Amino acid sequence: MPISETWLLPDGVADVLPEQAQVVETLRRHTLDFLASRGYQLVYTPFIEYIESLSLLSESNHDLDLVTFKVIDQLSGRLLGVRADMTPQVARIDAHVRSIEGVARYCYAGTVLHTKPQNFNSSRAPLQLGAELYGHDSIEADVEMIDVMLGLIQQAKALDGVHLDLGHVGLFRSLVERAGLNKQTEQDLSDLYQRKALPELEEFTQDLAFGSDFYALGRYASDLDALERHLSDEVLNDVAFQDALNALKSTLIQIQSRWPALQIGIDVVELRSYHYHTGLMYAVYAPNRAAPLAQGGRYDGIGEHFGRARPATGFSCDLYALCAGQFKQIETIVAPNGQDQSLLEAIAVARQQGLAVIQLLGEDDLSSVPYATHQLRHVNGTWQIEKI
């Protein structure tokens, strides 16, 4: 590779320069403080682990396995994975490292790495921040998680105009079980729902058991009242289906009560990570953005691989995405060179006030600090900060 190209970064990876890095870091601190105020305890997880821990080697995590970078450990000869998601690591902590009884609440923030971008124009190395709640399978736990997610986005001042989508995989899953569909048919249906391909869905479901119900699920995915009117009595009386439907309705009512100004939509066939989630799913979208600002859901039993299956719900977001397009000029004060005691005291006072002060070196002048915004000058016997 020519020397002129050695500075180039891989696709989907970027430097974060000071004007944006300060915004990101400020948000990281504020959001972690916010999560701490809600009782979520911070954990740090390793950037690399044995692949068995990161991917969980199960059908439910096939997508995660595909986006995980893998390398050979030079010490053990075993396969390692660079974390592509921190949830499996927190599940390991809950199951093995800190297996407390009762409800456990955790939060985290750290860089993850993906083999491919997960959304259009997204980073392959997002700064993932999230929160998870283990040990409670109630609707109240899901409502708390959604409430925390919305509060966190509010901390980022990104709540204006956003839209919350709610769904529940139990509706589709219970219908699949009642119809006795094979895995391939189930996958084909899931793909049609994801593409919102109603004409194809209508044709595909004609010869299926409960075909009209599968079609109604897609046709009226955003209108629960219309959906109930078009479903068969047999499906509506199915216990699992009713439990999922009631959970969705209850969650909608409670979130509307807590966030009355929020736009909330229903999509019962939003089946992203369908095999991974086990109940309610939720995502927050901003105007003119295809990828969600934050997303999450229920994933009961995730710790089973580590020997301790527990109810779990949580969400995550990319802090870079939350800060997209936000930049902040860094105010920097330049002080003259010298050892005068009053000068050193003025510099110390400014720094104690949280201001950034650079003292010139040698014979340097202001031109040596091209990004300076203010200077410390001696005026009428006192040191004063003046805008440049």
Side-chain angles (χ1 to χ4, degrees), residues 21-247:
Q22 179 160 308
V23 174
V24 174
E25 178 59 18
T26 299
L27 179 59
R28 187 190 69 85
R29 295 176 188 176
H30 286 171
T31 49
L32 287 177
D33 287 344
F34 167 75
L35 291 172
S37 74
R38 299 293 297 260
Y40 289 81
Q41 299 179 318
L42 179 65
V43 293
Y44 290 113
T45 63
F47 191 63
I48 195 165
E49 286 196 49
Y50 291 124
I51 194 64
E52 293 87 351
S53 294
L54 288 175
S55 69
L56 304 188
L57 294 180
S58 67
E59 177 188 341
S60 64
N61 282 273
H62 178 66
D63 292 340
L64 180 59
D65 186 58
L66 289 178
V67 299
T68 300
F69 273 98
K70 302 174 182 67
V71 295
I72 298 296
D73 183 8
Q74 297 299 307
L75 295 179
S76 67
R78 293 176 61 183
L79 193 62
L80 299 174
V82 179
R83 67 184 183 199
D85 180 20
M86 296 173 75
T87 294
Q89 298 181 299
V90 180
R92 174 178 51 76
I93 290 173
D94 181 69
H96 261 312
V97 182
R98 195 171 183 265
S99 54
I100 62 174
E101 296 301 324
V103 177
R105 292 174 172 85
Y106 297 108
C107 64
Y108 54 83
T111 300
V112 296
L113 186 63
H114 298 153
T115 55
K116 296 180 181 179
Q118 296 304 286
N119 295 290
F120 176 73
N121 203 31
S122 63
S123 170
R124 285 203 291 167
L127 179 53
Q128 187 183 59
L129 181 142
E132 302 183 11
L133 187 154
Y134 290 85
H136 215 281
D137 61 359
S138 67
I139 293 299
E140 287 75 15
D142 290 301
V143 169
E144 175 181 322
M145 207 77 261
I146 297 171
D147 185 55
V148 169
M149 177 179 68
L150 293 171
L152 186 144
I153 293 175
Q154 190 175 55
Q155 291 286 311
K157 297 179 172 58
L159 201 59
D160 290 344
V162 303
H163 181 95
L164 173 67
D165 268 2
L166 296 175
H168 198 300
V169 299
L171 299 173
F172 176 60
R173 188 165 288 160
S174 62
L175 191 50
V176 166
E177 184 174 346
R178 178 163 287 273
L181 301 186
N182 59 46
K183 289 292 184 182
Q184 186 58 56
T185 303
E186 178 183 354
Q187 184 61 54
D188 291 342
L189 268 174
S190 175
D191 292 340
L192 289 172
Y193 286 142
Q194 288 293 93
R195 292 191 288 112
K196 312 298 183 187
L198 288 179
E200 294 178 55
L201 179 66
E202 185 175 22
E203 181 180 355
F204 186 84
T205 56
Q206 284 180 354
D207 298 325
L208 291 181
F210 299 97
S212 62
D213 294 297
F214 280 112
Y215 177 71
L217 201 65
R219 176 68 177 82
Y220 305 104
S222 301
D223 187 338
L224 294 182
D225 291 334
L227 177 61
E228 289 189 86
R229 290 197 302 268
H230 288 84
L231 289 172
S232 65
D233 291 339
E234 187 173 354
V235 169
L236 285 174
N237 292 327
D238 181 272
V239 174
F241 191 94
Q242 268 298 331
D243 286 347
L245 187 60
N246 291 336

Side-chain angles (χ1 to χ4, degrees), residues 271-316:
L271 299 174
R272 56 182 169 77
S273 305
Y274 161 63
H275 293 291
Y276 175 70
H277 287 288
T278 61
L280 277 163
M281 299 171 64
Y282 31 89
V284 175
Y285 292 89
N288 303 316
R289 293 190 57 174
L293 287 177
Q295 59 187 343
R298 180 161 288 279
Y299 36 86
D300 293 340
I302 188 174
E304 183 178 4
H305 177 79
F306 302 109
R308 189 177 186 232
R310 293 231 289 168
T313 181
F315 74 91
S316 66

